[in-house]
Amino acid sequence: MTCWDVLGLPSDADGRTIKRQYATLLKKTRPDDDPEGFQRLREAYEEALNWQQWAQEQDTATVTEVVASTVVAPVAADTLQAHYQQAMAAGLGLEFEVALLKRCIADDEVSEEDRRWAFETFQWLSAWQRLELPQDLIDALANRCKNALQYSLALAMAQRDEAGFLAAYAARFDQPWLKQPAHTQWFNQMLATMLTESHFWSPAVFEAVRAGQGWHGSEHGCPEDEWQHLLRRQQGPVFMAHQRALAATAPDTPQQRAARLLLAPMSLGQRRAFAQRLSEPDWDACRTLAATLKADHPEVAFAMPGGTPYFWQDWETAFDTLPLLLAIVVGCLAGALFQAPWQAGVLVSTAGDAFAWSIAYMAGGALAWQVWRPLAHRLRVLDERLAAKLPRWLSPTRLPLLPVRDLIPGAAMSIAISLQFGPAAGLTLVAVLAAVGAGKRRARLSVKEWAAIFPRKAMGAIGLGAIAFALVFGALKYLDSRHQVSRNQGLQQWTERVCSRMPRNAEACQAPATHAQWYGQEATQ
């Protein structure tokens, strides 16, 4: 007699049925009345539970192997349906579904047909899915589906593939899980963010998404911040055409000057030279235009120097005064040395005086510039018209020199040092400025300063400058030393030098000293 015969149950009874039958029979077979019968019942009960647990483990392993073999090698949907029916017949429908869910999450080789069958059969990610499914698996499945959909759309945008994006967007109808409100809201937000931040913009893509998502009227479903950006980007061709037209016209207004700095086809050196002519209202216009380009026209912003519309920020506070300062110092030094008596031993002191005067000219020029610069900005329109009549070779950066802003201050400084140190000083100042300008014309500058890109070379240039200064100073000192007399050379009176050792009545000491007697050997040099 088997344990099933004792319990009166079939061999495929589950654990719950076995426990209920045991409780029922236990009321009829008490240990006090029938100890042997109770012992047989207890043994049959334990054997049936052990058998049922073993059979369940075997069936679960079998079902798992069936699921694994099914999804690894693509099979027809009816085959997968047959396996599911077998699991259901064995009471292992939940186990089958969980195993298949794990494979769909972890295995990229699961066929699309099998995935579609699983979603349709089990209604995953919907309100009708099993409540017994582990939540972590449901969340992992949702993330996988979202990532796959987002990747296909983002890849098309990155490749600037308009047709590919439209095809991927149309495939959303094959994703029934998107019908759930939470997933629909995520998809709507993801599309708005993607279109806003992408460098690629297609009016056809925007209109397709706008129609598909129902972004119309005041009750549109697009997030408000992104919606305003998208509308501006849709109107972007008109806006960019207007800004490029401003960049091509004479820079008479701050908006025109901002458009020219950011959008005109100029080299970086020309942009930097143009930036030195801007005033505070011009910089405000640059900030406004740059913010608009970054937010609504990322493709245009990415094509700018350094990949950003804010490439000019370091130029706003920078003022390229080094060429002018160098020209003032060299001009004063050259003019002073040109006028100095080289045979008098005063070259070092003359150079020191010239350097001190150059500092004074720098300070005075800086104060005068603070007064002159606002006036030059007010006369900007007239200045541009006058600059158009000047020859282009005068400009150091292929930008027309502005007579009011550039030439008049430079001429005033040249005349000022010429009046004190002679024409050689003014000509030297002009020559240094011309040499620096010629170097700028040939230099290929990047967004960063040369000293920031090549710090070692910059330090080396400073070191060479210090060495050159030391050599010049040493040469002047050497020249001075050759033409300076000692305390016993030509400084005393002739009688003190010769007649102090002679008798008072010496004939040679009675007459006034001659030129040769006074200077001695020095008179022949």
Side-chain angles (χ1 to χ4, degrees), residues 115-195:
R115 292 182 186 275
R116 188 179 300 109
W117 177 89
F119 271 91
E120 293 175 354
T121 302
F122 302 115
Q123 299 183 357
W124 288 337
L125 304 181
S126 70
W128 295 275
Q129 68 182 3
R130 282 181 185 264
L131 297 177
E132 298 87 351
L133 294 177
Q135 187 61 39
D136 58 334
L137 295 181
I138 295 299
D139 294 339
L141 180 64
N143 291 334
R144 181 186 178 92
C145 294
K146 291 178 180 179
N147 293 337
L149 180 58
Q150 185 174 3
Y151 175 79
S152 62
L153 295 172
L155 180 63
M157 293 293 284
Q159 296 176 346
R160 304 175 180 270
D161 186 1
E162 180 179 292
F165 183 91
L166 294 177
Y169 179 66
R172 71 189 186 281
F173 295 112
D174 298 333
Q175 309 290 339
W177 55 274
L178 280 177
K179 297 179 181 180
Q180 291 299 309
H183 300 153
T184 301
Q185 184 177 3
W186 165 84
F187 185 63
N188 196 64
Q189 178 67 55
M190 184 270 293
L191 282 174
T193 303
M194 180 179 295
L195 294 179

Side-chain angles (χ1 to χ4, degrees), residues 190-214:
M190 184 270 293
L191 282 174
T193 303
M194 180 179 295
L195 294 179
T196 301
E197 297 178 353
S198 175
H199 295 306
F200 172 65
W201 179 261
S202 168
V205 167
F206 174 69
E207 290 300 333
V209 175
R210 183 177 183 177
Q213 299 301 117

